[in-house]
């Protein structure tokens, strides 16, 4: 396996600089090696063009220490890294208040072992919604038992709660917390449609 | 009667322990102002069929003392009662009404555990947490009376 790896790399580098290069009959690599290298070269070029997700190290738990604490630590780091990657769209005050709540949510002393740890895909959906809908108001944050990010905002007598799901999906509900109006409005779908839904319901988050 | 099928009367109360992740807080002050609508969600991955609650009238005395006994039992049984968590107290009748208004039949049954004697189960919740109105109604009901666990 090691030899094959070296052969492909060498051939790949040759083809990179000399695409029309033909090996001499007594060359150490066969024509087949060069064909494979050519294919790998093309695949490599394509994957390099794709945006690669940042590699985040995960905490290695030493024997006798708390594995849950390490998982929560990683989840906190991951959530904040996602927020940092979009920081140019979020105000410093907004980020500070959201980070504080994430720290509280993923505090080990609060954790029930049965609860799912924050799914970073739902954190991404939450932030994409905040940026897309140009939301200035800081929400109250929570987590569903499945590990989905939950956010709530209050306006006049109404409360909006959104559970964010992976792949830009969400479930939202608007209700009156004063108890004098039993009406409840619900919506499920893409966060992009949620924005229009909120506009129709005159629920401003500026 | 078999304890496992004993239904709790609708004049009694139940307490639902809620971790920080289910509590709506004021984003400025951090003060608890309500309960999220995910508070009664079943754990789908664990194929949960009922939500765990505690029967308040299992213990005698005032609500505060009843909750203290419930907390003590839960801690004894190894359950995590975090300093930022809370107990929400709801009348069984109210829970049943939330179900009725959302087209679902809800009931609370005694489910005593060895070290958590007042443990009970809220049955009838959709197993996939798909009833959005029911979730919101239960959250509204649970938001009315909340006790901080740290003060018990």
């Amino acid at each position: 396996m090691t030899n094959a790896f070296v052969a492909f790399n060498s051939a790949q580098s040759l083809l990179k600089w000399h695409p029309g290069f033909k090996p001499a009959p007594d060359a150490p690599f066969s024509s087949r090696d060069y064909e494979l290298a050519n294919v790998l070269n093309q695949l490599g070029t394509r994957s390099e063009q794709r945006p690669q997700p940042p590699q985040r190290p995960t905490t290695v738990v030493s024997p006798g220490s708390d594995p849950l604490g390490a998982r929560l630590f990683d989840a906190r780091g991951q959530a904040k890294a996602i927020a940092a990657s979009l920081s140019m769209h979020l105000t410093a005050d907004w980020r500070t208040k959201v980070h504080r709540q994430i720290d509280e949510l993923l505090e080990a002393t609060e954790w029930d072992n049965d609860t799912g740890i924050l799914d970073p895909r739902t954190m991404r959906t939450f932030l994409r919604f905040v940026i897309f809908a140009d939301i200035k108001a800081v929400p109250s944050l929570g987590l569903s038992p499945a590990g989905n990010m939950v956010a709530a905002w209050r306006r006049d007598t109404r409360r909006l709660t959104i559970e964010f799901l992976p792949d830009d999906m969400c479930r939202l509900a608007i209700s009156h917390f004063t108890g004098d109006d039993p009406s409840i409005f619900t919506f499920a779908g893409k966060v992009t449609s949620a924005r229009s839904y909120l506009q129709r319901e005159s629920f401003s988050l500026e | 009667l078999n304890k496992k099928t004993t239904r709790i009367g609708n004049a009694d109360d139940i307490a639902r322990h809620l971790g920080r992740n289910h509590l709506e807080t004021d984003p400025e002050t951090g003060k608890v102002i309500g309960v999220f609508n995910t508070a009664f969600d079943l754990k789908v991955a664990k194929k949960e069929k009922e939500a765990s609650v505690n029967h308040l009238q299992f213990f005698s005395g005032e609500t505060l003392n009843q909750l203290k006994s419930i907390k003590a039992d839960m801690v004894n049984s190894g359950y995590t009662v975090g300093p930022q968590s809370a107990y929400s107290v709801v009348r069984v009748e109210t829970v049943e009404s939330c179900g009725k208004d959302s087209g679902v039949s809800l009931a609370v049954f005694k489910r005593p555990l060895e070290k958590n004697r007042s443990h009970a189960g809220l049955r009838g919740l959709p197993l996939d947490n798909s009833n959005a109105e029911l979730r919101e109604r239960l959250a509204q009901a649970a938001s009315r009376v909340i006790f901080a666990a740290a003060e018990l």
Side-chain angles (χ1 to χ4, degrees), chain A residues 42-53:
Chain A
Q42 286 171 0
L43 284 173
T45 309
R46 282 188 199 137
S47 66
E48 278 158 19
Q49 285 166 351
R50 251 181 265 136
Q52 298 295 311

Side-chain angles (χ1 to χ4, degrees), chain A residues 97 100 104-105 109-111 114-115 138-143 152 154 159 161 163 171 173 175-176 184 186, chain B residues 20-21 24-25 27-28 33 35-38 41 43 46 80 82-85 129 132 135-137 139-140:
Chain A
K97 286 170 182 165
R100 178 180 53 75
E104 285 174 16
L105 289 173
T109 55
E110 291 291 321
W111 210 257
D114 285 346
T115 306
V138 179
S140 169
L141 295 180
L143 275 181
R154 289 191 176 208
R159 178 176 81 163
T161 311
E163 180 183 5
R171 294 204 283 177
S175 65
H176 292 259
I184 294 173
T186 62
Chain B
R20 164 66 185 87
N21 49 337
E24 181 194 3
T25 56
E28 301 296 328
I33 52 174
V35 170
F36 284 123
N37 59 17
T38 51
D41 274 5
K43 291 169 183 126
K46 295 194 177 289
T80 305
Q84 290 191 75
S85 67
N129 306 312
R135 293 167 99 205
E136 195 62 26
R137 286 202 174 92
Q140 281 179 333

Side-chain angles (χ1 to χ4, degrees), chain A residues 67-147:
Chain A
L68 176 66
R71 284 172 61 210
L72 291 168
F73 178 83
D74 286 344
R76 276 199 298 271
Q78 208 165 15
K80 288 178 186 176
I82 293 168
S85 70
L86 300 165
S87 61
M88 71 291 279
H89 304 288
L90 308 164
T91 66
D93 179 58
W94 196 96
R95 283 203 316 270
T96 306
K97 286 170 182 165
V98 164
H99 283 190
R100 178 180 53 75
Q101 291 189 67
I102 289 169
D103 283 338
E104 285 174 16
L105 289 173
L106 299 171
E107 173 58 50
T109 55
E110 291 291 321
W111 210 257
D112 163 19
N113 270 334
D114 285 346
T115 306
I117 290 178
L118 172 62
D119 181 341
R121 294 172 304 166
T122 68
M123 175 75 184
R124 191 173 288 280
T125 303
F126 161 59
L127 291 173
R128 283 166 63 85
F129 170 72
V130 166
I131 294 164
F132 175 74
D134 195 24
I135 289 167
K136 301 284 185 290
V138 179
S140 169
L141 295 180
L143 275 181
S144 78

Side-chain angles (χ1 to χ4, degrees), chain B residues 126-147:
Chain B
L127 302 183
D128 56 357
N129 306 312
S130 57
N131 192 326
E133 283 190 23
L134 174 65
R135 293 167 99 205
E136 195 62 26
R137 286 202 174 92
L138 287 172
Q140 281 179 333
S143 294
R144 287 181 202 133
V145 183
I146 303 170
F147 291 84

